[in-house]
Amino acid sequence: MTDPDPRSQPPPESVPEPPPESAPAPSAAVPPGPVRLWRWRRNPLRRPSDLLQAWLGLALTAAVLAAVPLTAVLTYGAVHRVLHDDATQEARAKHRTTAEVLDDVPQHPEPDSQEAAHTRYPARVRFTAPDASTRTGSADVRPGLPAGSTVRVWTDDRGDLTGAPPSAEEIRNRALGWSLAASAVVAVAGAAAYGIAGRVLDRHRMAAWEHDWSETATRWTASS
């Protein structure tokens, strides 16, 4: 006789799984020690050439900071004097006279704008040359002038229309540009000198390292 079927058992109570262990929080990265100005700090790895390079960089920085403003002032003064003298001589060799505009000058698209105040259009003008002859030429005039208007033009000794001598503002701007360029050259020269010195010291350090390594390798080979 077969045994009766066993009674069905209730499903086992689900045992909650233990929560996964939380991953340990990553430790805060310890910032490496400051590496700036390491050549100035005493440490067993610092070589005499490292200290020499640090002093060289400091000396070049001080020299550039002192030379840049001095170069700018001296260059500005020298260039300004030269340009002023040239402009004075040019003004003596030119003649300013009154000319009549022969045709209507086109109006600027924005008559009251700042651009219109500095814009000049070519126009045919009639003027009197230094030899008292009447001539016709092309001059740059303000936009919107009607025919018959008068403008001031410059001519050379031969009576040909020419540009005006440089103004005081133009002379200042050119002298300032030259002074800035000279200052930039001084700064670049200082950086280049430091870079060249660094490469020379690097070669010296590599040669010393190879020399020390060759002696160490020889002792290791002999001991083995």
Side-chain angles (χ1 to χ4, degrees):
M1 184 174 181
T2 60
D3 294 334
D5 294 336
R7 295 181 179 180
S8 61
Q9 300 294 330
E13 296 180 358
S14 60
V15 180
E17 296 182 358
E21 297 182 358
S22 58
S27 58
V30 179
V35 296
R36 295 179 179 178
L37 305 178
W38 65 269
R39 292 188 175 93
W40 296 100
R41 295 194 300 273
R42 293 183 177 274
N43 62 82
L45 298 180
R46 190 184 69 178
R47 297 155 294 189
S49 59
D50 296 328
L51 186 59
L52 174 61
Q53 186 172 356
W55 278 108
L56 181 61
L58 179 62
L60 285 174
T61 301
V64 168
L65 292 178
V68 164
L70 181 61
T71 301
V73 172
L74 294 179
T75 303
Y76 179 87
V79 174
H80 190 278
R81 285 193 299 270
V82 172
L83 294 178
H84 182 269
D85 293 343
D86 291 344
T88 301
Q89 295 179 2
E90 185 177 350
R92 292 173 181 174
K94 294 181 178 181
H95 308 275
R96 197 174 188 187
T97 185
T98 302
E100 178 186 2
V101 179
L102 299 180
D103 303 313
D104 293 338
V105 183
Q107 185 64 265
H108 192 275
E110 300 178 0
D112 298 329
S113 64
Q114 188 71 15
E115 181 182 359
H118 296 85
T119 300
R120 296 293 182 268
Y121 290 154
R124 289 193 313 121
V125 296
R126 183 187 297 114
F127 62 96
T128 302
D131 58 0
S133 62
T134 302
R135 300 188 184 185
T136 302
S138 177
D140 293 334
V141 300
R142 299 190 308 274
L145 291 179
S149 301
T150 57
V151 293
R152 301 288 286 176
V153 295
W154 288 85
T155 64
D156 55 20
D157 291 335
R158 297 176 301 179
D160 297 328
L161 290 175
T162 183
S167 63
E169 183 179 0
E170 291 174 344
I171 293 175
R172 287 194 299 267
N173 292 338
R174 292 179 186 178
L176 180 59
W178 278 101
S179 65
L180 294 177
S183 301
V185 169
V186 171
V188 172
Y194 181 77
I196 294 174
R199 296 193 63 176
V200 171
L201 291 174
D202 285 341
R203 291 182 180 179
H204 172 74
R205 286 188 284 258
M206 289 299 298
W209 183 86
E210 291 179 358
H211 178 268
D212 294 343
W213 175 252
S214 62
E215 291 185 350
T216 303
T218 303
R219 290 198 298 269
W220 283 357
T221 305
S223 60
S224 59

